[in-house]
Amino acid sequence: LLDAIGWVQERDLAEQRLLEPACGDGAVLVPAARRLFRSARAWGRRNDEARLAECLVAYEIDSATVEAAREKVAAALTKEGARRSMAKTLAKHWIRQGDFLLQRHDAPFTHVATNPPYLRWSRIPTRLRNLYEREVPRYAARGDLSLAFLQRSLELLSIGGCCSFLFPDRWLRSQYGE
């Protein structure tokens, strides 16, 4: 996913912003953070904590999973040579506990990469489904929750930005996919 959108350490990633709207325990975020730190080291920005703090934004709804992701990210950064205190601070800043679809976002992002939740719209609890339907356009509030994640992510993407989602292909064959 990261290679597909050009989130590669050979670029000056400290000049970019990546959004991970459903980070889980960090399957996409950990490699993204590693690449960011390697890029920062190569471009002489490794100690610019304030700048690096603005480069990644990730959401996860479950508090235990947030903590697991923060630990994994901090460990990866420490292994790359970051001070432990800096690694922990960045991980805490980057990973936000909350429902991506219900949050206000500090856009734009140059990159989006995620493996979004796949949940049929009809299986979302009614109260939550009603909240989502107020937040996303009608066409995105159908079929599968991952479509709402895609729609919202594209809204937050800067002009010329790159987006990479890991999707099952079933939505391409459905009415809401059209």
Side-chain angles (χ1 to χ4, degrees):
L1 291 176
L2 297 172
D3 288 344
I5 59 173
W7 189 264
V8 293
Q9 64 197 40
E10 294 77 21
R11 296 180 67 185
D12 185 0
L13 296 178
E15 294 297 320
Q16 310 295 312
R17 289 190 76 219
L18 181 127
L19 170 66
E20 215 296 27
C23 76
D25 68 356
V28 174
L29 188 62
V30 169
R34 237 188 242 120
R35 289 174 183 206
L36 172 61
F37 194 77
R38 288 174 183 165
S39 169
R41 188 172 49 226
W43 290 85
R45 297 173 183 256
R46 135 187 197 151
N47 294 317
D48 191 350
E49 187 173 331
R51 180 71 205 121
L52 295 177
E54 300 306 313
C55 295
L56 295 176
V57 175
Y59 288 93
E60 173 52 45
I61 200 165
D62 178 69
S63 61
T65 307
V66 166
E67 289 309 314
R70 285 177 177 162
E71 282 300 316
K72 285 183 178 182
V73 167
L77 292 178
T78 302
K79 189 173 181 179
E80 290 296 329
R83 295 180 323 276
R84 180 78 178 143
S85 60
M86 179 182 179
K88 288 181 88 165
T89 299
L90 288 173
K92 186 171 185 177
H93 185 79
W94 289 337
I95 305 168
R96 302 170 184 187
Q97 182 180 354
D99 188 322
F100 170 70
L101 294 176
L102 300 177
Q103 302 297 311
R104 296 293 164 240
H105 307 283
D106 48 345
F109 294 92
T110 57
H111 299 81
V112 179
T114 195
N115 180 5
Y118 313 116
L119 182 63
R120 297 290 303 160
W121 202 259
S122 61
R123 293 189 178 253
I124 300 170
T126 303
R127 186 172 153 271
L128 186 56
R129 188 171 57 234
N130 290 338
L131 288 171
Y132 288 162
E133 287 172 350
R134 282 184 242 149
E135 294 295 323
V136 299
R138 186 174 194 99
Y139 70 85
R142 300 173 52 193
D144 193 289
L145 183 62
S146 59
L147 184 60
F149 273 72
L150 178 61
Q151 180 276 328
R152 177 59 52 90
S153 295
L154 292 174
E155 284 179 353
L156 298 170
L157 198 59
S158 62
I159 295 172
C162 298
C163 181
S164 184
F165 269 57
L166 184 60
F167 273 125
D169 66 355
R170 73 173 182 246
W171 73 278
L172 295 171
R173 296 183 301 270
S174 66
Q175 184 181 10
Y176 75 87
E178 275 189 39

